[in-house]
Amino acid sequence: MREVRISLVGFGIVGHGVLEVVRRKRELLRGIGLDLKVVSVTDIKGTLFDADGIDPSILHGARNMEGIANLDIIGKEAIQEIDSDLVVEVTPTNIVHGQPGLGHIEEALSSGKHVVTSNKGPLVVAYNHLQEMAQDNGVMLKYEATVGGTMPLISLIEKNLVGNEILRIRGIFNGTCNYILTRMMEERYTYSYALTEAQELGIAEADPAYDVDGIDTAGKVVILANSIFGMDAKYEDVSVTGIRDITPEALNLAWERGYHIKLIGEVPALKVMPMLVPRRSPLAVGGTLNVASIETDLSGTITVTGLGAGSIETASAIVSDIVSIYTSRQIDG
Amino acid sequence: MRLSMDLELQDIPGQLMQSLEPFKRYKGNIISVVHHRDRKTPRGTVPVQIVFEIDPSNIENIKNHLEENGIVVVRAGEDRFIEEISVLLIGHVLHTDLGDTIDRIDSTGFAEVEDLSLRMPGIEEPSSAYLRIRATGKEEIAKSLSILRHVGAEKDLLVIEPIEAEKI
């Protein structure tokens, strides 16, 4: 049995999901020879540490570490001090400077710890730098959850499509935009009405700019460009148009002519823009779904679809990454 | 000379063979036959597009022969515009001189706006226009799109292109 001591950094929606999935799947994971043990949980209030693995009941109902933390250290200091094999970095994302996640990941990698993250910011800002650090320190950096949530995209390309040249990836990488456009088309809602509905359902943030202006999709385009296409792209290199100017009349007109309007991200062209998607296209998925079409030289076009966000769904991608690190032949023990 | 013909066939056995017979008789060299069984017309007929090379003086003979045999000839003639694309414009489409927007494509000589639908929800509200553009080739389609992008930037219109356009 391989014991994996995990430090969880970030205790928001995804952090809760990770604890839940690790708890629920404990026996299953032991069955494949992995004993995942969360030894610390850190947020801006402090750190809860237990070398034998944290008892999940202590965290039940807690929203942050206030009153629960037993160590007064946070951030990079906590990552450095705590003895663990792997850091799960799930703090809030910032795609301009990547902090605080960027500092956390650098600290973990330089301390010889594997990193699994759902945090786009650090990867958008410094993907190549972080991968080099990982390599130099003999550890791995995995980030499946950053693009398309639970939808397997990066691992699909790296494992199942290995040997293929990837010619292009196009897809819907933001569930909020997809939900708003779907509702506008189905119910003839105006943009602002559909947005309000999405906010009430918790699908859109109070400040929706990050989603509806295409910023989030552009971040994912940068991650795919750098990781799959070996580019050195920055956020500023992406040409971005969001969905604010789409009207229900335009959606209706498109529908009558056999099209949906979807916010499409494209690599390696580095473009995010609303496009006409034929109704019969596999990219024409509705609701909050994400979808990606991977165009390859040998396998033709492969399309995957799935939920792009959500606590348990994102955590599932994180746990898959953890398992893949310890089942990969490149790592000895 | 390369020509094309759009036919409508009854959905009964033997119709396709029968429609090709006059091409043989009048020494037409068939380049392609596209049989759209999955896109039946409201009349229940099956659209077929035939592209062929022939001495143009024989085209009337072929047409007559087909029509005598109950095959509907929707269109016959020189096939200039072989590629097409759909584009949607959102913004003040009409008040930024829609005529001029269309002219920019039509005046190229290699492409034309063939179909146009407008939605105008109200004064001051942005309107939407659907355009189908036909052109003499893939490269000309790409050029037309580039013209539209330029016009869109100039007139503050959102230009929504189809994903198929990317294959060009």
Side-chain angles (χ1 to χ4, degrees):
Chain A
M1 183 74 61
R2 176 76 167 89
E3 184 187 82
V4 181
R5 292 161 302 161
I6 298 167
S7 286
L8 177 64
V9 181
F11 191 52
I13 291 169
V14 177
H16 280 84
V18 170
L19 288 165
E20 175 62 20
V21 172
V22 168
R23 186 188 65 79
R24 261 202 243 169
K25 298 293 176 184
R26 186 135 202 222
E27 286 314 307
L28 184 110
L29 292 166
R30 288 172 72 94
I32 58 168
L34 285 179
D35 183 18
L36 301 193
K37 209 177 256 182
V38 177
V39 296
S40 69
V41 179
T42 299
D43 74 1
I44 48 169
K45 305 280 184 189
T47 294
L48 174 66
F49 173 74
D50 185 338
D52 297 325
I54 289 170
D55 175 2
S57 63
I58 299 175
L59 297 165
H60 191 72
R63 302 191 66 177
N64 58 45
M65 286 294 117
E66 197 165 11
I68 299 174
N70 55 13
L71 293 176
D72 204 15
I73 48 173
I74 62 164
K76 289 193 267 191
E77 195 190 348
I79 292 167
Q80 196 183 23
E81 296 281 320
I82 292 162
D83 188 17
S84 62
D85 307 301
L86 183 145
V87 170
V88 172
E89 214 294 336
V90 290
T91 60
T93 201
N94 179 305
I95 81 188
V96 177
H97 51 61
Q99 300 295 359
L102 180 56
H104 294 163
I105 294 175
E106 285 173 330
E107 185 61 44
L109 295 174
S110 61
S111 318
K113 296 173 184 185
H114 301 299
V115 173
V116 174
T117 187
S118 62
N119 189 348
K120 284 176 283 293
L123 295 166
V124 170
V125 174
Y127 176 84
N128 290 325
H129 159 70
L130 292 175
Q131 282 297 9
E132 273 168 35
M133 271 188 88
Q135 207 163 7
D136 291 348
N137 288 283
V139 288
M140 294 181 93
L141 165 64
K142 298 287 236 176
Y143 49 91
E144 181 71 62
T146 58
V147 184
T150 195
M151 175 176 88
L153 180 56
I154 289 156
S155 59
L156 178 71
I157 293 169
E158 285 180 349
K159 288 185 192 157
N160 303 72
L161 295 177
V162 68
N164 278 271
E165 185 189 343
I166 307 301
L167 307 171
R168 176 164 67 178
I169 302 173
R170 282 198 300 202
I172 299 171
F173 301 113
N174 186 278
T176 306
C177 287
N178 202 19
Y179 181 82
I180 291 172
L181 292 175
T182 303
R183 296 296 284 167
M184 285 174 72
M185 207 229 13
E186 285 174 353
E187 306 292 338
R188 300 266 190 123
Y189 288 166
T190 59
Y191 164 77
S192 58
Y193 193 91
L195 171 62
T196 306
E197 185 191 72
Q199 286 168 327
E200 278 169 7
L201 291 171
I203 294 167
E205 303 285 330
D207 175 8
Y210 187 69
D211 291 315
V212 301
D213 290 337
I215 300 166
D216 173 67
T217 304
K220 291 162 180 170
V221 160
V222 171
I223 295 174
L224 289 174
N226 293 342
S227 61
I228 305 296
F229 291 85
M231 295 166 73
D232 187 20
K234 297 271 173 282
Y235 177 80
E236 304 75 54
D237 301 329
V238 186
S239 146
V240 189
T241 307
I243 64 162
R244 283 184 203 256
D245 293 334
I246 307 290
T247 62
E249 294 77 27
L251 284 156
N252 185 250
L253 193 51
W255 172 262
E256 283 175 6
R257 300 308 184 124
Y259 294 97
H260 290 278
I261 299 176
K262 300 288 185 189
L263 185 70
I264 300 291
E266 182 177 333
V267 216
L270 302 180
K271 283 196 295 197
V272 175
M273 58 185 189
M275 295 191 84
L276 295 173
V277 174
R279 270 155 40 181
R280 288 188 293 183
S281 161
L283 287 179
V285 300
T288 57
L289 283 174
N290 282 23
V291 62
S293 273
I294 308 152
E295 299 176 24
T296 71
D297 63 339
L298 302 178
S299 308
T301 299
I302 288 165
T303 304
V304 280
T305 181
L307 291 167
S311 170
I312 296 295
E313 293 82 357
T314 307
S316 147
I318 289 173
V319 171
S320 298
D321 273 349
I322 298 174
V323 171
S324 94
I325 287 175
Y326 289 96
T327 51
S328 160
R329 281 188 212 131
Q330 292 160 17
I331 301 292
D332 307 322
Chain B
M1 183 180 200
R2 182 174 289 207
L3 299 161
S4 79
M5 222 178 235
D6 291 338
L7 308 178
E8 282 183 14
L9 307 186
Q10 301 299 317
D11 192 10
I12 50 173
Q15 277 274 292
L16 184 60
M17 282 305 288
Q18 201 178 8
S19 71
L20 298 177
E21 208 283 324
F23 291 92
K24 181 179 166 194
R25 179 178 301 183
Y26 295 105
K27 299 190 167 47
N29 179 23
I30 292 176
I31 313 279
S32 73
V33 178
V34 186
H35 190 222
H36 296 289
R37 274 202 68 107
D38 55 334
R39 277 198 244 154
K40 273 197 189 172
T41 67
R43 295 171 292 286
T45 55
V46 180
V48 171
Q49 188 181 47
I50 302 176
V51 179
F52 53 100
E53 274 168 353
I54 202 167
D55 178 347
S57 64
N58 272 331
I59 189 143
E60 279 306 308
N61 291 331
I62 292 186
K63 235 175 112 177
N64 293 337
H65 188 283
L66 289 167
E67 282 167 353
E68 277 162 22
N69 284 284
I71 293 165
V72 179
V73 180
V74 183
R75 188 191 63 86
E78 192 183 344
D79 196 34
R80 282 192 68 232
F81 296 138
I82 52 170
E83 295 290 334
E84 63 173 50
I85 193 172
S86 297
V87 181
L88 208 74
L89 305 176
I90 304 178
H92 294 290
V93 180
L94 205 58
H95 296 297
T96 53
D97 198 348
L98 181 58
D100 168 71
T101 304
I102 293 169
D103 270 352
R104 302 264 194 115
I105 301 294
D106 288 357
S107 64
T108 58
F110 57 68
E112 275 178 25
V113 175
E114 197 200 54
D115 186 1
L116 172 75
S117 311
L118 266 179
R119 286 280 192 290
M120 292 178 290
I123 302 167
E124 301 294 313
E125 304 249 350
S127 46
S128 315
Y130 167 91
L131 275 65
R132 195 166 71 227
I133 297 167
R134 297 192 81 200
T136 51
K138 288 186 183 349
E139 204 176 306
E140 287 74 18
I141 287 278
K143 280 184 198 162
S144 308
L145 269 179
S146 150
I147 293 170
L148 270 186
R149 281 182 210 129
H150 189 77
V151 171
E154 186 186 309
K155 299 185 176 182
D156 198 19
L157 304 174
L158 176 60
V159 180
I160 305 184
E161 301 168 24
I163 53 168
E164 312 100 303
E166 299 295 319
K167 282 182 185 147
I168 290 166

